Amino acid sequence: MSHPSPRRTRDPARKQAAILAAARAVFAERGYENATIREIARRAGVTHGLVVLHFSTKEQLFVAATTPDPESLFKGVLDDDVTKLPERIAASFVHRMEASDGADPVIALIRSAAGDQQAAKALLQTLQQTAVDGYARVLDIPDLATRVNMMGAHLIGVAFSRYVLADGPVAAMSPDELIARLTTTIRTILFD
Amino acid sequence: MSHPSPRRTRDPARKQAAILAAARAVFAERGYENATIREIARRAGVTHGLVVLHFSTKEQLFVAATTPDPESLFKGVLDDDVTKLPERIAASFVHRMEASDGADPVIALIRSAAGDQQAAKALLQTLQQTAVDGYARVLDIPDLATRVNMMGAHLIGVAFSRYVLADGPVAAMSPDELIARLTTTIRTILFD
């Protein structure tokens, strides 16, 4: 038995990782309001009590599960050649979203904004702060936070049409066309 | 009694208008999933049965209540001077949203995307088609639908941060600053 199923693991770190992975999937599929700790526990193969022991509340589990790792978020994006930054941001966003199978923080964010909004606000703040901190490493412009937040708003809107509702021309265009259009818009938002 | 309260009106057209106004408010406040016909009926001062008689289902009531009137949507926006179109779109959007008190179709759209998405898709299609039809009256560009839908995605993302979650720099900036930033982005999306 060299590959124990995640449903049967006894390793605490593995259990925690299994809970977070199950939470990401359930929050993305159902939205924050309709997600339950019970279903997350079931999918992770652990007890309801263990999830509560590790994460206390649904909101805390949501933030822990959906907060992206900055290193993976900015992989290949931050670079001294700032003139090509819009291309790299656009390509990284589209490739990440296309591969995410719906379990991306931006999707979770959109699907958590319907009901009680504390969880959604906490996630938006985390995402935007992570983005501002990252771009501050390569960009030195006075209204950086505002520009990065406007860019974030743009990407949220595109994700809404293309990946959440998946409807209309924004959803139908090829990844390459989307990258080209986003590159132009991101360049304007960051530098014009 | 020259000003009968809307709770007591006997005029069918008025009752229908009262139902639609109550529906707009309830869908915007609670999101699609949490809105109930019962609460909409109560706020409109009519019976549950009358709402069902007029609109059959919650989804049909949602689409009827949130579909914007194209004339009011494009008031002051469509004009032969196309060079200033981005300014007029940006100003119209911001003024409409600032005055909407949360009861705008774009807010309803965002707050309906968490659960069952048929209602949200129907509303997104209606909003985008209305926009494409409107701008086709003054713009003659081959990929108009794609550009208008990308602009729509941008406005949805801005509304998400500023008017739904109401958090961060996008929510904090003045209406005039937002109009100036949107004008630049919209010009790029429509014409670059």
Side-chain angles (χ1 to χ4, degrees), chain B residues 90-107:
Chain B
S92 164
F93 173 76
V94 172
H95 293 147
R96 199 184 86 219
M97 296 301 288
E98 300 285 325
S100 74
D101 209 15
D104 188 90
V106 174
I107 308 278

mmCIF file with all atom_site columns, all heavy atoms in Angstrom, chain B residues 90-107:
data_model
loop_
_atom_site.group_PDB
_atom_site.id
_atom_site.type_symbol
_atom_site.label_atom_id
_atom_site.label_alt_id
_atom_site.label_comp_id
_atom_site.label_asym_id
_atom_site.label_entity_id
_atom_site.label_seq_id
_atom_site.pdbx_PDB_ins_code
_atom_site.Cartn_x
_atom_site.Cartn_y
_atom_site.Cartn_z
_atom_site.occupancy
_atom_site.B_iso_or_equiv
_atom_site.pdbx_formal_charge
_atom_site.auth_seq_id
_atom_site.auth_comp_id
_atom_site.auth_asym_id
_atom_site.auth_atom_id
_atom_site.pdbx_PDB_model_num
ATOM 1   N N   . ALA B 1 90  ? -18.928 56.017 -19.528 1.00 0.00 ? 90  ALA B N   1
ATOM 2   C CA  . ALA B 1 90  ? -18.383 55.987 -18.162 1.00 0.00 ? 90  ALA B CA  1
ATOM 3   C C   . ALA B 1 90  ? -19.235 56.839 -17.221 1.00 0.00 ? 90  ALA B C   1
ATOM 4   O O   . ALA B 1 90  ? -19.608 56.388 -16.125 1.00 0.00 ? 90  ALA B O   1
ATOM 5   C CB  . ALA B 1 90  ? -16.931 56.483 -18.165 1.00 0.00 ? 90  ALA B CB  1
ATOM 6   N N   . ALA B 1 91  ? -19.572 58.052 -17.656 1.00 0.00 ? 91  ALA B N   1
ATOM 7   C CA  . ALA B 1 91  ? -20.344 58.947 -16.783 1.00 0.00 ? 91  ALA B CA  1
ATOM 8   C C   . ALA B 1 91  ? -21.745 58.392 -16.546 1.00 0.00 ? 91  ALA B C   1
ATOM 9   O O   . ALA B 1 91  ? -22.261 58.404 -15.414 1.00 0.00 ? 91  ALA B O   1
ATOM 10  C CB  . ALA B 1 91  ? -20.421 60.336 -17.405 1.00 0.00 ? 91  ALA B CB  1
ATOM 11  N N   . SER B 1 92  ? -22.373 57.868 -17.586 1.00 0.00 ? 92  SER B N   1
ATOM 12  C CA  . SER B 1 92  ? -23.725 57.315 -17.449 1.00 0.00 ? 92  SER B CA  1
ATOM 13  C C   . SER B 1 92  ? -23.736 56.130 -16.492 1.00 0.00 ? 92  SER B C   1
ATOM 14  O O   . SER B 1 92  ? -24.606 56.011 -15.619 1.00 0.00 ? 92  SER B O   1
ATOM 15  C CB  . SER B 1 92  ? -24.234 56.911 -18.842 1.00 0.00 ? 92  SER B CB  1
ATOM 16  O OG  . SER B 1 92  ? -25.352 56.068 -18.732 1.00 0.00 ? 92  SER B OG  1
ATOM 17  N N   . PHE B 1 93  ? -22.745 55.243 -16.634 1.00 0.00 ? 93  PHE B N   1
ATOM 18  C CA  . PHE B 1 93  ? -22.657 54.067 -15.762 1.00 0.00 ? 93  PHE B CA  1
ATOM 19  C C   . PHE B 1 93  ? -22.480 54.490 -14.304 1.00 0.00 ? 93  PHE B C   1
ATOM 20  O O   . PHE B 1 93  ? -23.214 54.038 -13.417 1.00 0.00 ? 93  PHE B O   1
ATOM 21  C CB  . PHE B 1 93  ? -21.491 53.174 -16.206 1.00 0.00 ? 93  PHE B CB  1
ATOM 22  C CG  . PHE B 1 93  ? -21.209 52.024 -15.277 1.00 0.00 ? 93  PHE B CG  1
ATOM 23  C CD1 . PHE B 1 93  ? -22.024 50.893 -15.268 1.00 0.00 ? 93  PHE B CD1 1
ATOM 24  C CD2 . PHE B 1 93  ? -20.123 52.059 -14.404 1.00 0.00 ? 93  PHE B CD2 1
ATOM 25  C CE1 . PHE B 1 93  ? -21.762 49.830 -14.415 1.00 0.00 ? 93  PHE B CE1 1
ATOM 26  C CE2 . PHE B 1 93  ? -19.860 51.001 -13.546 1.00 0.00 ? 93  PHE B CE2 1
ATOM 27  C CZ  . PHE B 1 93  ? -20.680 49.882 -13.555 1.00 0.00 ? 93  PHE B CZ  1
ATOM 28  N N   . VAL B 1 94  ? -21.524 55.369 -14.057 1.00 0.00 ? 94  VAL B N   1
ATOM 29  C CA  . VAL B 1 94  ? -21.228 55.754 -12.668 1.00 0.00 ? 94  VAL B CA  1
ATOM 30  C C   . VAL B 1 94  ? -22.412 56.495 -12.051 1.00 0.00 ? 94  VAL B C   1
ATOM 31  O O   . VAL B 1 94  ? -22.821 56.199 -10.918 1.00 0.00 ? 94  VAL B O   1
ATOM 32  C CB  . VAL B 1 94  ? -19.928 56.586 -12.591 1.00 0.00 ? 94  VAL B CB  1
ATOM 33  C CG1 . VAL B 1 94  ? -19.724 57.144 -11.179 1.00 0.00 ? 94  VAL B CG1 1
ATOM 34  C CG2 . VAL B 1 94  ? -18.732 55.731 -12.999 1.00 0.00 ? 94  VAL B CG2 1
ATOM 35  N N   . HIS B 1 95  ? -23.001 57.432 -12.796 1.00 0.00 ? 95  HIS B N   1
ATOM 36  C CA  . HIS B 1 95  ? -24.140 58.161 -12.230 1.00 0.00 ? 95  HIS B CA  1
ATOM 37  C C   . HIS B 1 95  ? -25.311 57.231 -11.948 1.00 0.00 ? 95  HIS B C   1
ATOM 38  O O   . HIS B 1 95  ? -25.977 57.343 -10.922 1.00 0.00 ? 95  HIS B O   1
ATOM 39  C CB  . HIS B 1 95  ? -24.559 59.299 -13.169 1.00 0.00 ? 95  HIS B CB  1
ATOM 40  C CG  . HIS B 1 95  ? -23.513 60.376 -13.262 1.00 0.00 ? 95  HIS B CG  1
ATOM 41  N ND1 . HIS B 1 95  ? -23.293 61.110 -14.404 1.00 0.00 ? 95  HIS B ND1 1
ATOM 42  C CD2 . HIS B 1 95  ? -22.606 60.824 -12.353 1.00 0.00 ? 95  HIS B CD2 1
ATOM 43  C CE1 . HIS B 1 95  ? -22.304 61.976 -14.190 1.00 0.00 ? 95  HIS B CE1 1
ATOM 44  N NE2 . HIS B 1 95  ? -21.867 61.814 -12.953 1.00 0.00 ? 95  HIS B NE2 1
ATOM 45  N N   . ARG B 1 96  ? -25.563 56.294 -12.865 1.00 0.00 ? 96  ARG B N   1
ATOM 46  C CA  . ARG B 1 96  ? -26.659 55.347 -12.658 1.00 0.00 ? 96  ARG B CA  1
ATOM 47  C C   . ARG B 1 96  ? -26.402 54.491 -11.415 1.00 0.00 ? 96  ARG B C   1
ATOM 48  O O   . ARG B 1 96  ? -27.284 54.299 -10.574 1.00 0.00 ? 96  ARG B O   1
ATOM 49  C CB  . ARG B 1 96  ? -26.771 54.446 -13.894 1.00 0.00 ? 96  ARG B CB  1
ATOM 50  C CG  . ARG B 1 96  ? -28.095 53.738 -14.045 1.00 0.00 ? 96  ARG B CG  1
ATOM 51  C CD  . ARG B 1 96  ? -28.053 52.804 -15.247 1.00 0.00 ? 96  ARG B CD  1
ATOM 52  N NE  . ARG B 1 96  ? -27.508 51.517 -14.897 1.00 0.00 ? 96  ARG B NE  1
ATOM 53  C CZ  . ARG B 1 96  ? -26.684 50.793 -15.671 1.00 0.00 ? 96  ARG B CZ  1
ATOM 54  N NH1 . ARG B 1 96  ? -26.301 51.238 -16.849 1.00 0.00 ? 96  ARG B NH1 1
ATOM 55  N NH2 . ARG B 1 96  ? -26.239 49.629 -15.258 1.00 0.00 ? 96  ARG B NH2 1
ATOM 56  N N   . MET B 1 97  ? -25.189 53.970 -11.294 1.00 0.00 ? 97  MET B N   1
ATOM 57  C CA  . MET B 1 97  ? -24.883 53.096 -10.166 1.00 0.00 ? 97  MET B CA  1
ATOM 58  C C   . MET B 1 97  ? -24.900 53.861 -8.847  1.00 0.00 ? 97  MET B C   1
ATOM 59  O O   . MET B 1 97  ? -25.399 53.352 -7.842  1.00 0.00 ? 97  MET B O   1
ATOM 60  C CB  . MET B 1 97  ? -23.511 52.443 -10.364 1.00 0.00 ? 97  MET B CB  1
ATOM 61  C CG  . MET B 1 97  ? -23.405 51.520 -11.562 1.00 0.00 ? 97  MET B CG  1
ATOM 62  S SD  . MET B 1 97  ? -24.570 50.125 -11.542 1.00 0.00 ? 97  MET B SD  1
ATOM 63  C CE  . MET B 1 97  ? -23.862 49.128 -10.247 1.00 0.00 ? 97  MET B CE  1
ATOM 64  N N   . GLU B 1 98  ? -24.360 55.075 -8.851  1.00 0.00 ? 98  GLU B N   1
ATOM 65  C CA  . GLU B 1 98  ? -24.330 55.847 -7.595  1.00 0.00 ? 98  GLU B CA  1
ATOM 66  C C   . GLU B 1 98  ? -25.755 56.148 -7.111  1.00 0.00 ? 98  GLU B C   1
ATOM 67  O O   . GLU B 1 98  ? -26.014 56.205 -5.921  1.00 0.00 ? 98  GLU B O   1
ATOM 68  C CB  . GLU B 1 98  ? -23.575 57.178 -7.786  1.00 0.00 ? 98  GLU B CB  1
ATOM 69  C CG  . GLU B 1 98  ? -22.123 57.045 -8.232  1.00 0.00 ? 98  GLU B CG  1
ATOM 70  C CD  . GLU B 1 98  ? -21.163 56.594 -7.125  1.00 0.00 ? 98  GLU B CD  1
ATOM 71  O OE1 . GLU B 1 98  ? -21.371 56.978 -5.968  1.00 0.00 ? 98  GLU B OE1 1
ATOM 72  O OE2 . GLU B 1 98  ? -20.213 55.838 -7.436  1.00 0.00 ? 98  GLU B OE2 1
ATOM 73  N N   . ALA B 1 99  ? -26.678 56.337 -8.063  1.00 0.00 ? 99  ALA B N   1
ATOM 74  C CA  . ALA B 1 99  ? -28.048 56.696 -7.702  1.00 0.00 ? 99  ALA B CA  1
ATOM 75  C C   . ALA B 1 99  ? -28.933 55.481 -7.463  1.00 0.00 ? 99  ALA B C   1
ATOM 76  O O   . ALA B 1 99  ? -30.064 55.608 -7.002  1.00 0.00 ? 99  ALA B O   1
ATOM 77  C CB  . ALA B 1 99  ? -28.661 57.570 -8.804  1.00 0.00 ? 99  ALA B CB  1
ATOM 78  N N   . SER B 1 100 ? -28.416 54.275 -7.751  1.00 0.00 ? 100 SER B N   1
ATOM 79  C CA  . SER B 1 100 ? -29.305 53.107 -7.806  1.00 0.00 ? 100 SER B CA  1
ATOM 80  C C   . SER B 1 100 ? -29.675 52.573 -6.439  1.00 0.00 ? 100 SER B C   1
ATOM 81  O O   . SER B 1 100 ? -30.629 51.806 -6.309  1.00 0.00 ? 100 SER B O   1
ATOM 82  C CB  . SER B 1 100 ? -28.640 51.985 -8.593  1.00 0.00 ? 100 SER B CB  1
ATOM 83  O OG  . SER B 1 100 ? -27.623 51.398 -7.798  1.00 0.00 ? 100 SER B OG  1
ATOM 84  N N   . ASP B 1 101 ? -28.863 52.908 -5.426  1.00 0.00 ? 101 ASP B N   1
ATOM 85  C CA  . ASP B 1 101 ? -29.119 52.386 -4.091  1.00 0.00 ? 101 ASP B CA  1
ATOM 86  C C   . ASP B 1 101 ? -29.147 50.851 -4.109  1.00 0.00 ? 101 ASP B C   1
ATOM 87  O O   . ASP B 1 101 ? -29.926 50.221 -3.388  1.00 0.00 ? 101 ASP B O   1
ATOM 88  C CB  . ASP B 1 101 ? -30.464 52.934 -3.590  1.00 0.00 ? 101 ASP B CB  1
ATOM 89  C CG  . ASP B 1 101 ? -30.459 53.050 -2.078  1.00 0.00 ? 101 ASP B CG  1
ATOM 90  O OD1 . ASP B 1 101 ? -29.368 52.988 -1.484  1.00 0.00 ? 101 ASP B OD1 1
ATOM 91  O OD2 . ASP B 1 101 ? -31.552 53.182 -1.505  1.00 0.00 ? 101 ASP B OD2 1
ATOM 92  N N   . GLY B 1 102 ? -28.321 50.289 -4.947  1.00 0.00 ? 102 GLY B N   1
ATOM 93  C CA  . GLY B 1 102 ? -28.190 48.829 -4.978  1.00 0.00 ? 102 GLY B CA  1
ATOM 94  C C   . GLY B 1 102 ? -29.204 48.105 -5.845  1.00 0.00 ? 102 GLY B C   1
ATOM 95  O O   . GLY B 1 102 ? -29.057 46.914 -6.094  1.00 0.00 ? 102 GLY B O   1
ATOM 96  N N   . ALA B 1 103 ? -30.238 48.808 -6.313  1.00 0.00 ? 103 ALA B N   1
ATOM 97  C CA  . ALA B 1 103 ? -31.287 48.125 -7.083  1.00 0.00 ? 103 ALA B CA  1
ATOM 98  C C   . ALA B 1 103 ? -31.047 48.291 -8.578  1.00 0.00 ? 103 ALA B C   1
ATOM 99  O O   . ALA B 1 103 ? -31.895 48.789 -9.304  1.00 0.00 ? 103 ALA B O   1
ATOM 100 C CB  . ALA B 1 103 ? -32.662 48.651 -6.684  1.00 0.00 ? 103 ALA B CB  1
ATOM 101 N N   . ASP B 1 104 ? -29.874 47.891 -9.043  1.00 0.00 ? 104 ASP B N   1
ATOM 102 C CA  . ASP B 1 104 ? -29.539 47.996 -10.466 1.00 0.00 ? 104 ASP B CA  1
ATOM 103 C C   . ASP B 1 104 ? -29.415 46.594 -11.050 1.00 0.00 ? 104 ASP B C   1
ATOM 104 O O   . ASP B 1 104 ? -29.016 45.665 -10.352 1.00 0.00 ? 104 ASP B O   1
ATOM 105 C CB  . ASP B 1 104 ? -28.205 48.749 -10.606 1.00 0.00 ? 104 ASP B CB  1
ATOM 106 C CG  . ASP B 1 104 ? -27.900 49.056 -12.057 1.00 0.00 ? 104 ASP B CG  1
ATOM 107 O OD1 . ASP B 1 104 ? -28.314 50.129 -12.523 1.00 0.00 ? 104 ASP B OD1 1
ATOM 108 O OD2 . ASP B 1 104 ? -27.273 48.211 -12.734 1.00 0.00 ? 104 ASP B OD2 1
ATOM 109 N N   . PRO B 1 105 ? -29.727 46.435 -12.354 1.00 0.00 ? 105 PRO B N   1
ATOM 110 C CA  . PRO B 1 105 ? -29.594 45.111 -12.963 1.00 0.00 ? 105 PRO B CA  1
ATOM 111 C C   . PRO B 1 105 ? -28.205 44.500 -12.815 1.00 0.00 ? 105 PRO B C   1
ATOM 112 O O   . PRO B 1 105 ? -28.084 43.277 -12.641 1.00 0.00 ? 105 PRO B O   1
ATOM 113 C CB  . PRO B 1 105 ? -29.900 45.379 -14.443 1.00 0.00 ? 105 PRO B CB  1
ATOM 114 C CG  . PRO B 1 105 ? -30.743 46.602 -14.461 1.00 0.00 ? 105 PRO B CG  1
ATOM 115 C CD  . PRO B 1 105 ? -30.305 47.424 -13.292 1.00 0.00 ? 105 PRO B CD  1
ATOM 116 N N   . VAL B 1 106 ? -27.155 45.318 -12.869 1.00 0.00 ? 106 VAL B N   1
ATOM 117 C CA  . VAL B 1 106 ? -25.798 44.770 -12.761 1.00 0.00 ? 106 VAL B CA  1
ATOM 118 C C   . VAL B 1 106 ? -25.554 44.199 -11.359 1.00 0.00 ? 106 VAL B C   1
ATOM 119 O O   . VAL B 1 106 ? -24.915 43.156 -11.197 1.00 0.00 ? 106 VAL B O   1
ATOM 120 C CB  . VAL B 1 106 ? -24.740 45.841 -13.128 1.00 0.00 ? 106 VAL B CB  1
ATOM 121 C CG1 . VAL B 1 106 ? -23.335 45.326 -12.876 1.00 0.00 ? 106 VAL B CG1 1
ATOM 122 C CG2 . VAL B 1 106 ? -24.893 46.244 -14.587 1.00 0.00 ? 106 VAL B CG2 1
ATOM 123 N N   . ILE B 1 107 ? -26.091 44.872 -10.343 1.00 0.00 ? 107 ILE B N   1
ATOM 124 C CA  . ILE B 1 107 ? -25.987 44.353 -8.965  1.00 0.00 ? 107 ILE B CA  1
ATOM 125 C C   . ILE B 1 107 ? -26.774 43.038 -8.860  1.00 0.00 ? 107 ILE B C   1
ATOM 126 O O   . ILE B 1 107 ? -26.290 42.047 -8.298  1.00 0.00 ? 107 ILE B O   1
ATOM 127 C CB  . ILE B 1 107 ? -26.573 45.354 -7.950  1.00 0.00 ? 107 ILE B CB  1
ATOM 128 C CG1 . ILE B 1 107 ? -25.964 46.744 -8.132  1.00 0.00 ? 107 ILE B CG1 1
ATOM 129 C CG2 . ILE B 1 107 ? -26.403 44.834 -6.527  1.00 0.00 ? 107 ILE B CG2 1
ATOM 130 C CD1 . ILE B 1 107 ? -24.654 46.957 -7.491  1.00 0.00 ? 107 ILE B CD1 1
#
